Amino acid sequence: MADPTPLLSHSTTGSDEHEPPKLEKHHPSLDSMIERSMKDFGWAQLMQASLVSLAGFFDAQQTFLCIFTDVQPPWHCVDLDDKYCNSMSDVCLLPNSSSWQWDYPKHASIVSEWGLQCANSAIRGLPASSFFLGCLIGGLLLATLADSSLGRKNMLFLSCFVMSCSSLLTVFSTNVWIYSGLKFVTGFGRATIGTCALVLTSELVGKKLRGSVGVMGFFTFTLGFLSLPAIAYVNRGSSWRALYIWTSVPAFGYCVLVHFLVCESPRWLFVRGRREEAVATLKSISPPSSSALTKGFSSISLDEDPLNNMDIFSAIKALLEKKWAFRRLCAVMLVGFGTGMVYYGMPLGVTNLDFDLYSSVTLNALAELPSTLVTFFLIGKLDRRSSLLFFTTLSGFCSVMCILEGQVWQKWQIGLELVSFFSGCTALDVLLIYALELFPTCVRNSAIAMVRQAVVFGGVFSPLLVAAAGRRGDGVLSYGAFGLVIGCCGLFVLWLPETRGGNLCDTMDEEERKQNIRDSLC
C-alpha cells in the first residue's frame, strides 16, 4: 500500500519512470485519500447516510405486506346445529358452505375476496413467490447498472420509483393472476434498493464508521417492518387495497427526496473518470477541515480503468473470471441462500402457529431491533467469519427445535421461533457488511447484489414451504426445513477470509494483490 505521508504533497519532482516504487509514493491511493477526507464524521455525512438508509423503511413494507393482505382471515360457524362445523374444522371439507362465515368483510384479504381458501398451495403462495422471483430477476438484470452507467444514487431512485408505482397499481387487481403479476413487478423494482442503499452509505463515510453507518439501513428496515402490524391493525376489516395505498404513497415522496438531496458516491464518480464531480461531492459532505485534502485528487492514479469501458455485465464477468473473486462470491451466496430462507420464511410461517397474527408479526419485527443493535454496537469488534458461523448455527438449531411435538414444546414454540429469527437477522446484517468488504469498488454493488439475490432466492421457496405445511395441517414442518438449510449453508463461511478492520480496495488488481499477500502469509 502507498505511504500515507505524501497525501498533502502534489509534486512528483525527482521521480524516475524506471523506479515504480518511488513513483508510487507520490501517488496516494484513492482509498487513502478518501479515508483522510472523511475521517471526521460531520453533519452532512450523517444527513446523507440517514436519508439513503430511509429506503429500507419502504422496502420492508413492500417485502412483508403480503403477511396481512394474503392471509386467510378468521371465520366462525353460523349454523350451530351443524354437527360438522366447529372451530377445528377445515372449511374446505364442510358439506354446507352456508354453515360458516368470515369474521371480517370479504374484501379484507385476497383469500376471502377471490375465494382462495381451498386453492392448492401453489396458488396460495403464488403472489409472495412472484414477488421474490421478481426480486431475483430484477437483481440480476439491474444490479450492474449501479456499477456501470447509472451509479448508486440514480439506481436507488429508479428502484424506489418502480416499486412505488407498481405497488399503487396493485389496488386495481381483479384476480390473483393480475395481482401476482404486479407483485412480480414490485419485486423487480425493489430488487436493488437494499444493495444501493448499503453500498452508497458505506462509500460516503470512512472505514471507522463504515459498519455502524451500514447498520442504519437495517434499523430503518426494521422500523418499516414494525410499522406494518400497526397499519394493518388500524385498517383491520378494511379492504386489503388500503394497505397498499398507505405504503406506496409515502414512498413516492421519498423518491423526490432522493432525487434532489442525495449525493452520488465519490468513489464511483472517481473510478468513472468524473474527478471534478467526485471532488465537489467530497467538499459538500466532508468537514471543513478536510477540504484542503481534496486538491490531492489530481495526483491519484488507478492501477486499471475499471468502469469507463464496461458494459452492464462486465462487472459480473470480472467476478467470474478471477478465481479468488468467484470463490468468495460462491461462498457468500450460499450463506445468503440459507439466511434468506429463515429471514423471509419465519415471518410468513407465523400464520401457521397457534398465536395471534398481529402479536406474532409484531414480536418478529421487534426481534429485528436487538439484532440491529447487536450489529451496530459490536460490528467493529466481531470477527466476520466466527460471528456468521455462530448465528447461522444458532438459528438452524432453534428452527429445527420448533418442530418437536408435545404440549411443553408448543409453549416454547414462539420463543424458539423468535430466537431463530433474531439469529437469522443478525447473520444477514453481518453477511451484507462482510460482503461489501470482500469486493472492490468497481464490482462491489454487483457482488452485493448477487448476494442479495441469493438471499431472495431462499425467499422464493419460503412461501411455498409455508403454504404446503399449512395445507397439511402441520405448519411447523417448514421450520425444520429452514433450520437444516441455514445450518448447512452457514458452514461455507469457512471458505472466506477475515476482513475486520481492513481497508476497502477500489480495483480488482488491488484486491488481488491483497489476496496474494494473505495467501503467502498462510
Side-chain angles (χ1 to χ4, degrees):
M1 182 176 175
D3 186 349
T5 55
L7 282 175
L8 298 177
S9 174
H10 309 146
S11 173
T12 59
T13 304
S15 64
D16 190 320
E17 62 181 5
H18 300 293
E19 297 179 20
K22 291 184 179 180
L23 183 61
E24 184 180 353
K25 289 184 179 181
H26 294 280
H27 289 273
S29 68
L30 176 61
D31 180 70
S32 62
M33 178 62 76
I34 289 182
E35 288 298 328
R36 290 289 297 273
S37 300
M38 294 183 173
K39 67 177 182 179
D40 297 323
F41 191 70
W43 285 106
Q45 288 173 280
L46 177 61
M47 189 196 76
Q48 287 290 315
S50 301
L51 189 56
V52 173
S53 299
L54 189 58
F57 184 90
F58 306 103
D59 185 16
Q61 289 184 332
Q62 295 304 321
T63 300
F64 295 112
L65 190 57
C66 60
I67 296 176
F68 296 101
T69 59
D70 300 7
V71 69
Q72 177 169 312
W75 58 277
H76 62 275
C77 297
V78 293
D79 186 357
L80 299 180
D81 295 330
D82 191 335
K83 63 179 181 179
Y84 297 103
C85 187
N86 57 68
S87 59
M88 302 300 293
S89 300
D90 183 348
V91 294
C92 298
L93 300 179
L94 293 177
N96 187 0
S97 60
S98 62
S99 62
W100 63 276
Q101 283 183 351
W102 299 113
D103 288 357
Y104 296 117
K106 290 184 66 175
H107 57 246
S109 166
I110 68 166
V111 173
S112 53
E113 180 171 334
W114 296 329
L116 303 178
Q117 65 272 12
C118 298
N120 60 49
S121 57
I123 299 298
R124 289 278 298 274
L126 180 62
S129 291
S130 297
F131 175 83
F132 290 121
L133 185 61
C135 295
L136 182 67
I137 297 176
L140 293 174
L141 296 180
L142 301 178
T144 55
L145 293 175
D147 278 333
S148 53
S149 57
L150 289 182
R152 281 64 160 134
K153 171 190 171 179
N154 290 333
M155 194 69 248
L156 179 63
F157 168 78
L158 179 63
S159 296
C160 290
F161 184 75
V162 173
M163 180 187 73
S164 304
C165 288
S166 56
S167 178
L168 187 59
L169 289 174
T170 303
V171 303
F172 301 106
S173 302
T174 56
N175 56 59
V176 69
W177 307 106
I178 296 176
Y179 178 75
S180 298
L182 288 169
K183 292 292 288 184
F184 175 88
V185 177
T186 303
F188 185 91
R190 61 76 57 184
T192 58
I193 289 178
T195 303
C196 291
L198 177 61
V199 173
L200 185 53
T201 52
S202 67
E203 292 180 350
L204 288 172
V205 298
K207 69 178 181 180
K208 182 179 179 181
L209 293 171
R210 186 194 310 147
S212 299
V213 169
V215 175
M216 290 176 64
F218 307 151
F219 183 71
T220 58
F221 191 93
T222 302
L223 293 180
F225 187 11
L226 193 57
S227 71
L228 280 180
I231 295 174
Y233 186 79
V234 169
N235 288 276
R236 65 189 186 282
S238 301
S239 173
W240 57 268
R241 293 174 171 85
L243 298 181
Y244 280 97
I245 295 175
W246 274 67
T247 55
S248 60
V249 172
F252 276 111
Y254 175 73
C255 292
V256 176
L257 294 179
V258 170
H259 181 71
F260 289 104
L261 298 181
V262 170
C263 296
E264 183 55 88
S265 163
R267 288 180 180 270
W268 180 83
L269 289 170
F270 188 90
V271 295
R272 285 292 295 179
R274 295 156 62 175
R275 297 188 180 217
E276 293 79 8
E277 293 179 60
V279 172
T281 300
L282 272 177
K283 286 182 177 180
S284 67
I285 64 176
S286 298
S289 59
S290 303
S291 60
L293 291 173
T294 57
K295 298 177 182 179
F297 269 82
S298 60
S299 64
I300 296 177
S301 61
L302 296 176
D303 297 325
E304 58 186 61
D305 187 17
L307 291 176
N308 284 336
N309 297 318
M310 276 190 169
D311 57 42
I312 63 173
F313 295 107
S314 294
I316 301 296
K317 182 180 179 182
L319 287 169
L320 299 180
E321 287 180 340
K322 299 286 187 179
K323 290 183 179 180
W324 61 267
F326 181 69
R327 184 170 62 251
R328 292 183 188 183
L329 187 63
C330 288
V332 291
M333 287 182 68
L334 285 168
V335 178
F337 175 80
T339 307
M341 264 209 166
V342 168
Y343 185 74
Y344 292 119
M346 285 290 184
L348 295 176
V350 296
T351 58
N352 290 331
L353 297 181
D354 192 20
F355 294 95
D356 176 68
L357 177 63
Y358 298 102
S359 300
S360 300
V361 176
T362 301
L363 288 174
N364 272 269
L366 287 173
E368 283 211 56
L369 282 177
S371 166
T372 303
L373 292 175
V374 166
T375 310
F376 181 81
F377 288 110
L378 298 181
I379 192 63
K381 302 176 182 179
L382 292 175
D383 286 341
R384 300 341 185 200
R385 290 204 312 173
S386 57
S387 56
L388 256 182
L389 185 62
F390 171 78
F391 285 116
T392 53
T393 303
L394 179 61
S395 178
F397 174 77
C398 292
S399 186
V400 170
M401 294 292 286
C402 286
I403 70 173
L404 295 179
E405 297 182 355
Q407 189 173 4
V408 175
W409 284 111
Q410 287 180 347
K411 294 180 180 179
W412 289 91
Q413 215 171 57
I414 190 67
L416 290 169
E417 190 270 343
L418 289 174
V419 173
S420 179
F421 185 65
F422 160 81
S423 302
C425 292
T426 308
L428 180 59
D429 293 348
V430 175
L431 175 66
L432 293 176
I433 293 175
Y434 192 14
L436 72 85
E437 296 174 346
L438 285 169
F439 300 95
T441 300
C442 61
V443 296
R444 183 172 297 124
N445 199 89
S446 299
I448 296 180
M450 294 291 286
V451 176
R452 290 182 68 90
Q453 296 330 295
V455 174
V456 170
F457 191 53
V460 170
F461 294 97
S462 298
L464 299 178
L465 286 173
V466 171
R471 285 302 303 273
R472 292 183 59 181
D474 194 356
V476 296
L477 286 178
S478 57
Y479 289 155
F482 297 157
L484 290 175
V485 172
I486 191 174
C488 294
C489 290
L491 298 175
F492 286 94
V493 75
L494 298 175
W495 287 9
L496 299 171
E498 182 56 54
T499 61
R500 181 170 68 94
N503 293 324
L504 288 180
C505 294
D506 296 296
T507 67
M508 296 294 284
D509 289 345
E510 187 181 352
E511 186 69 51
E512 188 166 12
R513 282 200 301 271
K514 185 197 291 189
Q515 175 66 32
N516 292 336
I517 293 173
R518 185 184 292 112
D519 292 341
S520 64
L521 294 176
C522 293

